[in-house]
Amino acid sequence: MRPENLYIALLHYPVYNKRGKIVTTAVTNMDIHDMSRTAKTYGVKRFYIVTPIVQQKTFVERILRHWQEGYGVTYNPSRKEAFESVRVSDTLDDTIAALSQETGEKVNVVVTSASSRGNCMTCEDLGERMSRSGEAFLIVFGTGWGIAEEVIERADFLVEPIRGVSEYNHLSVRSAAAIMLDRLCRDN
């Protein structure tokens, strides 16, 4: 698959906590670093970190500045390159609007879930659809205990969960994103 139309978002709101309440989760340093490096590796055009909390956005921007303008540029130049595609957004709607404006195309929103649902698309089918389309595809990865139902209901596509070989199914979002991007972007 050619990833020219591939974008990802890490959604921190609206997501569930373990009690099933809609919350805003904290942005983590590891997610920023690992997902931006994975995005760069697989040719993702933009990696959006979606959070409405000002302090969290400031935290992300401080990390990005360190690796793009500060000491980090000389310490690890490849990190600067990985962070070039990272954008911070207040809401998923803002992300979709920015992406639509950037591409001039319809944005197909694809949500992920660790839970099985009846209407899931396989990674293979999604990859084929993406390769045939000139439209943008935004794959939304959730944090906390999963993406809120209101987001899932509005999505264009729901992709199947990443499954291992045991009953245990609780990958970090960083790992799930890497596996999914590999499955979508690798020529079989």
Side-chain angles (χ1 to χ4, degrees):
M1 192 207 93
R2 297 176 57 199
E4 287 96 18
N5 56 351
L6 179 57
Y7 302 80
I8 63 172
L10 182 59
L11 188 67
H12 291 276
Y13 177 84
V15 296
Y16 294 115
N17 67 12
K18 68 180 180 178
R19 293 181 188 88
K21 303 281 187 203
I22 292 180
V23 297
T24 304
T25 57
V27 176
T28 69
N29 192 14
M30 287 188 304
D31 287 344
I32 298 166
H33 284 263
D34 290 353
M35 289 185 72
S36 64
R37 290 164 50 203
T38 299
K40 181 67 176 176
T41 298
Y42 286 99
V44 171
K45 290 201 61 172
R46 294 267 179 272
F47 164 34
Y48 292 92
I49 298 170
V50 183
T51 181
I53 298 178
V54 172
Q55 293 89 343
Q56 293 291 303
K57 291 186 286 191
T58 301
F59 170 70
V60 174
E61 290 163 357
R62 190 179 74 222
I63 290 169
L64 296 177
R65 265 193 320 277
H66 172 78
W67 293 101
Q68 293 177 313
E69 302 167 9
Y71 172 72
V73 173
T74 55
Y75 180 75
N76 188 345
S78 69
R79 193 63 47 97
K80 177 184 190 287
E81 186 178 358
F83 283 162
E84 289 172 352
S85 71
V86 179
R87 301 292 183 273
V88 182
S89 183
D90 289 336
T91 68
L92 185 57
D93 287 339
D94 289 347
T95 303
I96 294 166
L99 186 49
S100 181
Q101 184 174 357
E102 177 183 331
T103 64
E105 300 289 338
K106 176 189 184 308
V107 176
N108 293 282
V109 177
V110 180
V111 293
T112 61
S113 175
S115 303
S116 293
R117 294 172 176 253
N119 58 346
C120 291
M121 174 180 264
T122 67
C123 285
E124 181 181 20
D125 289 343
L126 178 60
E128 287 176 17
R129 183 180 289 265
M130 291 171 69
S131 66
R132 290 191 314 263
S133 175
E135 297 172 335
F137 284 79
L138 176 65
I139 301 176
V140 182
F141 296 95
T143 57
W145 288 72
I147 297 171
E149 192 64 32
E150 65 192 68
V151 175
I152 294 171
E153 289 173 359
R154 291 179 42 211
D156 297 296
F157 304 103
L158 175 63
V159 70
E160 66 186 350
I162 301 295
R163 292 275 178 221
V165 296
S166 74
E167 292 298 314
Y168 186 84
N169 188 34
H170 196 76
L171 290 171
S172 69
V173 70
R174 299 177 304 283
S175 297
I179 293 166
M180 184 166 294
L181 290 173
D182 187 73
R183 289 179 181 176
L184 289 172
C185 298
R186 186 166 305 279
D187 292 329
N188 294 328

